[in-house]
Amino acid sequence: MATGRFFQEANLPEQKSYGNGADGSLLFPVVLSPITNTDITVFEEATRLEKQWLESLLQKSGVILFRGFPVTSPSDFNDVVEAFGFPEMAYMGGRAPRTKVVGRVYTANESPLDKQNPFHHEMAYIPDFPSKVFFFCEEEPGIGGETPIVLSHIVYEKMKDKHPEFVAQIEKHGLTYKKIICDEERPMSTSGRSWKSAYMTDDKNVAEQRAAELATKLEWMENAVKLVTGPLPATRLDKENQRKTWFNHLVLSNTGPMHDSIDNQDTYVELGNGDPVPDIHVIKDCLKLMEQECVAIPWKKGDVMLINNLMVLHGRQPLLKPPRQILASLCK
Ligand code: FE2
């Protein structure tokens, strides 16, 4: 693969090789390093100049990890994100507890880091999701805390091979998601954002309008609200690559009957026709498959990871030894 004038491809032992097509084998993820020692302004300028090439690389590979560039602070990261020029995506309707750090940079997820965050496409539970997600390693994890990634079309293809009836059912009906969120934040949960924060208002009528734009109905409860979203497609077509991706929130969701309690922090999923999702063993199998196919590269301070959110699922491994500070920025 040709490299740019400023970037060279690097190899890491964790990368997976998917060999096919006229381009020969493709490494997942692509890892880019600077050709020579550089400073942050040169990196930004190179990004602007090579934007088209970087975008086509992302379109082929799904993820680019930039390693060895002098990105040292949240504001450096913000400048790098700006250099790509993708429009910013507001975190409207998103469920992770997050705090703005600077510009368009936020904490990744403030739930306790010793908890695993299973594989997901960012905001797959609403119709308006980011096309790209940037992560930045401000503080390298002690032990653990990787952000594993997996190519979603591989998950789709393997699921279709192994469980064709299940896939046909969810594709036919779509999926409806239900979740209770509170008036106040629940920072102990990976999806513990309050409705005021999720819809960026204290006004219930405004929240209802904003939720409706995201195919979500709000049912008010005491000190909380129940969100009902969908039906949404259970898979999506990656038009550029002409293949389907496993773009849903199934492995993070409860398939049983929902209890309407304020203490219930789970996301629930059912088929779009109101029937329960068939056979939860299939979902467990899906999670196993994602774990087999994923790549988990230990973070290095200064790493920037750019993910095509339609092509790739990501998660978070439990942190075994602090510290860890990963920041995020979402693009339309
Ligand atoms: Fe995420």
Side-chain angles (χ1 to χ4, degrees):
M1 185 184 296
T3 54
R5 281 172 288 165
F6 304 92
F7 301 99
Q8 62 185 348
E9 260 196 86
N11 290 326
L12 294 176
E14 294 87 359
Q15 283 169 303
K16 280 203 155 108
S17 173
Y18 292 96
N20 58 12
D23 294 294
S25 73
L26 191 66
L27 285 177
F28 177 73
V30 166
V31 182
L32 295 181
S33 293
I35 283 177
T36 53
N37 275 348
T38 184
D39 64 32
I40 186 74
T41 52
V42 173
F43 179 30
E44 287 162 34
E45 188 55 25
T47 300
R48 278 187 207 98
L49 287 171
E50 304 277 6
K51 190 187 167 199
Q52 250 187 334
W53 174 73
L54 291 168
E55 272 196 86
S56 71
L57 199 55
L58 182 68
Q59 198 53 56
K60 271 188 241 157
S61 65
V63 175
I64 303 175
L65 175 65
F66 296 90
R67 173 160 288 182
F69 294 89
V71 189
T72 57
S73 66
S75 79
D76 283 351
F77 174 48
N78 190 62
D79 292 345
V80 170
V81 173
E82 291 281 5
F84 275 88
F86 305 129
E88 182 180 1
M89 169 109 189
Y91 195 47
M92 183 70 75
R95 304 206 179 140
R98 285 187 170 157
T99 307
K100 182 171 174 165
V101 179
V102 61
R104 51 197 286 185
V105 169
Y106 290 76
T107 53
N109 188 323
E110 287 171 19
S111 63
L113 292 170
D114 57 343
K115 276 195 204 162
Q116 184 168 28
N117 190 359
F119 288 102
H120 58 281
H121 288 279
E122 202 63 30
M123 298 163 81
Y125 47 80
I126 49 175
D128 202 7
F129 50 85
S131 69
K132 298 170 196 75
V133 181
F134 282 94
F135 288 114
F136 165 57
C137 177
E138 186 187 9
E139 207 167 5
E140 204 169 295
I143 301 172
E146 297 90 349
T147 299
I149 44 177
V150 59
L151 280 164
S152 191
H153 73 281
I154 306 253
V155 177
Y156 175 79
E157 282 161 16
K158 298 212 165 188
M159 285 296 287
K160 211 175 167 205
D161 272 358
K162 282 183 84 177
H163 307 288
E165 277 171 34
F166 179 91
V167 175
Q169 279 275 75
I170 62 167
E171 286 198 302
K172 180 179 173 195
H173 297 292
L175 298 169
T176 297
Y177 299 98
K178 296 182 177 178
K179 178 165 174 67
I180 291 166
I181 62 175
C182 295
D183 291 356
E184 306 304 331
E185 305 282 314
R186 282 191 295 202
M188 297 303 282
S189 163
T190 52
S191 58
R193 210 170 171 214
S194 69
W195 66 263
K196 293 175 188 171
S197 165
Y199 297 110
M200 299 172 194
T201 180
D202 284 354
D203 184 321
K204 290 186 174 178
N205 291 320
V206 175
E208 280 178 16
Q209 282 165 23
R210 291 182 177 166
E213 285 165 19
L214 300 171
T216 302
K217 280 198 208 90
L218 302 188
E219 295 170 14
W220 297 100
M221 301 165 53
E222 206 181 327
N223 304 321
V225 64
K226 181 172 169 183
L227 317 179
V228 180
T229 307
L232 299 180
T235 61
R236 297 212 183 239
L237 177 66
D238 170 9
K239 285 189 194 129
E240 300 271 345
N241 292 302
Q242 278 301 306
R243 56 198 188 196
K244 284 188 177 176
T245 63
W246 192 252
F247 201 94
N248 60 58
H249 219 55
L250 272 172
V251 301
L252 283 87
S253 302
N254 190 324
T255 55
M258 187 169 187
H259 317 288
D260 282 352
S261 150
I262 189 167
D263 297 323
N264 185 358
Q265 302 189 5
D266 286 357
T267 298
Y268 285 73
V269 65
E270 60 189 30
L271 292 179
N273 63 357
D275 286 349
V277 171
D279 201 351
I280 59 157
H281 301 295
V282 175
I283 299 175
K284 284 190 184 147
D285 199 31
C286 179
L287 201 51
K288 215 164 80 186
L289 203 153
M290 289 169 172
E291 271 155 16
Q292 281 162 3
E293 290 296 326
C294 84
V295 173
I297 297 174
W299 284 108
K300 288 258 177 249
K301 188 173 163 57
D303 280 352
V304 172
M305 186 153 74
L306 170 56
I307 297 179
N308 178 318
N309 189 39
L310 184 60
M311 292 171 70
V312 173
L313 298 130
H314 66 275
R316 185 185 73 202
Q317 306 275 52
L319 182 68
L320 305 176
K321 190 175 162 216
R324 178 190 191 268
Q325 182 65 290
I326 305 295
L327 303 178
S329 187
L330 308 179
C331 306
K332 270 186 193 158

